[in-house]
Each structure stands twice: as structure tokens, then as C-alpha cells.
Amino acid sequence: MSSLKVFLFLTITLLLSNWSEAQPPKKQDFSFEELYRQRTYRNFIGTKKLLIAKALHLPASTYWLVLAAVERTEDRELWSMDKADRTEAKIFVYEQQSKQIDEKLTEAINIKLGWDKYYEPLFCGGLGSLAEKDFKIVGNKITLTQFYAPATERSNCTVEILFRNGEVVVQKLGLEDTSLEAITAKERTLANQKALALLHAGKTHEAVLIWEDLYVEWKHGAFPKAGAVDEVLNNLGFAYWKLNMYPEAEKILLECKKNFPQRKSVYLNLADLYRDMKKKNEAVFHYQQFINMGVTELQKNYASKEIKKLQN
């Protein structure tokens, strides 16, 4: 071989060697057979019916997270139809280079996820409420979406597990209440916002119709505490005042004051109403109550000026 060919051969070999060394190690396929050799995993499964066995590689790490769910055998007579009540699940952290379950990391993650909890909303039914589709990779994270439904409360919980700064991090994204009461509260909030938009557009009568419906729901409907009831009452009383419907405004505003005495604006609205109804003493009294509640300087100046006018 000529010296030029030898030089080219050695150069190409060196380049290929350097390129190979620069590549990250290939992710190996996960072996459940290898995992089953681990005593911790084998003891958890035992003789119970295996419902889920799903492994995901935690992006940018050498870890695999394995979701294992089995059917609970304890206290069968106390089981409900709730999936979280009938299922026991756990996350195992498997390190692919050592081919071992990281016991400490496994324990720490499962404590944060409340794997042994079944009825605590903070943990959304523990890991027992997870379905296979709820354990997935999204971007550079593994996400767990749990659904919990004890009695009348329902919550959706999302947890993210990611590898950051050389550590496995578990972060909860909070709870979303999806109960019928929460849905009702959202619907009433949207209706209130629609009524406010109508009021600002000068369509006071249309706004009043919406607030009257919300008032009836508060008095006679289900979930009387759902939504910002104090705001609805205050807004309806204010709208009645704008329409010169003074008796109706007084009734609603006094009802708001009685049930929600900490709402500052209702005192100002009552003061303005009584001023226009020529009830000076009641007006002064409510302006002063409004000031005493700790208001802005601008609001204080307005109420003080109205008091002076009424006392002159």
C-alpha cells in the first residue's frame, strides 16, 4: 500500500473513531425479563393480577420509569367502583447502565406521588387512578395525569417527571376541580362576565335578566355557593339602581351585605342608593362604613365629599 493510501486509511479510521466516541450511547430496549429479576419489582407483583406494565425512557437520562399496576387483594369487601380503590400501582426507577432498580430514587418518587394513597385529593387517588394512556412522554418529560372522584369531588392532577441538572425531578402542576359544582361555578362566572359586558355596553336591561337568573339559582338551585355570589348580588343591585328601581336595588344590596359583609363595594352602592332615595342618615352611615373598611384615597375622597354634601 502506498504511503498516500496508508495516510488516507489512518485519517479516515481516526475520524470514524472520534465520531463514534462523540455520539451519545444508544438507548437500549427495555427488558421486563431483566426487571423481573429485581427482587423489589418481583415482590410488588407477587401473585396479584398484573393490570399495567409500561416502561418509558426518561429523556436525557439513563433512567427508565416503569409503571406497574396490580389489582389490590386487601379489604375486597370495602372496595368501591372507583378504579383508584381497586388498583395498587407504583413507579420503579431502573438505571440502564447498572441494570438495577434505584431503590432510593424509587422510594422518593413514589412518596411524592402518594402511591399508597387512595382517598386523599392531594394525591388524586394515588397512582391507582392512572390508566396506561395517562403515563406518557411529552417533550422532555414523563407526564402522569390522574383522575380522582371521591364522593362529590373530582380532581384532575398532572405530575411531570424530568431529568434536570443531573437529577430526577418530580413537579406537580396542581389540581383542577372537575366536579359538577366546579363546572356550575364556571358557567355562572361566564354568565356574570357576559352580563357585565352588556352593562358596559349600555344594555342594562339585558344584563339584569342574566343576573336575575343567577339570583334565582343562588336562592333555589343546586350548589348555592358555586360562583361569585357576592359579585352577582352586588352587580344586580347596582343595575337596579341604574334603572331607578330603588326598592329592588335596596332589597338585593341589603341581602348582599347580610351574606357577604366583607364586600366593600356593596356599602358604597347602598350609600349612593340611599342618597338618591333621600335617606340622608342611611346614606351617611354607609359612606362612613365604606371609609372605615380601608379603601383607596380616591374612594375615600369621594365618600367624604358625599357625606359633606348630605350634612350641609
Side-chain angles (χ1 to χ4, degrees), residues 4 15 17 24 43 75-77 87 102 144 170 173 181 200 208 215 218 220 236 265 272 298:
L4 179 59
L15 287 172
S17 175
N43 288 345
D75 304 322
R76 282 178 178 269
E77 67 278 4
T87 308
D102 188 318
L144 296 81
V170 178
L173 302 186
E181 182 171 1
H200 294 153
V208 164
Y215 174 74
W218 172 62
H220 307 292
L236 177 57
S265 56
D272 287 342
L298 187 63

Side-chain angles (χ1 to χ4, degrees), residues 15-268:
L15 287 172
L16 288 173
S17 175
N18 290 339
W19 181 84
S20 178
E21 290 176 2
Q23 300 308 301
K26 287 186 177 180
K27 182 185 71 177
Q28 301 174 7
D29 291 332
F30 188 79
S31 170
F32 274 96
E33 289 183 10
E34 183 68 36
L35 181 66
Y36 197 75
R37 295 191 184 102
Q38 307 286 315
R39 185 174 59 182
T40 306
Y41 180 79
R42 191 170 61 250
N43 288 345
F44 176 74
I45 302 298
T47 59
K48 297 177 182 178
K49 181 180 178 182
L50 184 62
L51 303 174
I52 301 174
K54 182 177 180 181
L56 294 176
H57 177 253
L58 184 60
S61 79
T62 59
Y63 294 105
W64 286 81
L65 268 59
V66 181
L67 169 64
V70 296
E71 188 175 71
R72 290 179 63 204
T73 57
E74 303 83 8
D75 304 322
R76 282 178 178 269
E77 67 278 4
L78 301 178
W79 286 2
S80 68
M81 293 304 294
D82 191 336
K83 183 177 183 293
D85 195 18
R86 298 177 288 111
T87 308
E88 184 176 12
K90 196 170 185 179
I91 299 287
F92 293 89
V93 183
Y94 182 84
E95 209 284 310
Q96 71 178 31
Q97 291 184 348
S98 65
K99 295 184 178 181
Q100 295 289 326
I101 290 175
D102 188 318
E103 302 285 358
K104 289 185 178 179
L105 197 50
T106 293
E107 182 180 4
I109 286 179
N110 281 282
I111 288 174
K112 288 185 179 179
L113 296 175
W115 74 280
D116 59 342
K117 312 294 183 184
Y118 303 108
Y119 296 108
E120 296 184 25
L122 178 63
F123 295 103
C124 282
L127 294 177
S129 63
L130 278 172
E132 190 170 353
K133 63 180 176 58
D134 299 324
F135 180 65
K136 58 189 175 183
I137 295 177
V138 178
N140 66 336
K141 307 177 183 72
I142 290 178
T143 66
L144 296 81
T145 305
Q146 299 151 274
F147 182 70
Y148 184 47
T152 58
E153 178 182 339
R154 293 190 175 189
S155 298
N156 285 336
C157 308
T158 302
V159 177
E160 294 180 339
I161 304 176
L162 63 154
F163 191 69
R164 185 171 62 203
N165 299 328
E167 293 184 352
V168 177
V169 179
V170 178
Q171 51 192 27
K172 294 186 178 182
L173 302 186
L175 310 179
E176 178 190 355
D177 191 352
T178 55
S179 65
L180 185 57
E181 182 171 1
I183 293 171
T184 302
K186 290 178 182 178
E187 291 174 348
R188 290 175 183 173
T189 298
L190 289 174
N192 179 59
Q193 291 172 350
K194 181 180 178 181
L196 280 172
L198 289 170
L199 180 72
H200 294 153
K203 300 177 180 180
T204 307
H205 285 94
E206 293 178 41
V208 164
L209 291 176
I210 294 175
W211 280 320
E212 285 178 337
D213 285 342
L214 291 174
Y215 174 74
V216 171
E217 286 186 29
W218 172 62
K219 293 288 286 187
H220 307 292
F223 311 118
K225 295 182 180 179
V229 180
D230 59 331
E231 185 175 349
V232 169
L233 292 175
N234 187 63
N235 290 344
L236 177 57
F238 176 82
Y240 280 148
W241 168 67
K242 287 204 66 170
L243 294 173
N244 297 322
M245 298 171 64
Y246 294 160
E248 293 84 354
E250 182 182 22
K251 174 181 177 294
I252 296 297
L253 291 174
L254 286 176
E255 201 164 3
C256 182
K257 176 185 172 182
K258 177 183 177 181
N259 288 279
F260 306 99
Q262 300 306 313
R263 186 173 183 88
K264 297 178 184 179
S265 56
V266 73
Y267 294 88
L268 181 60

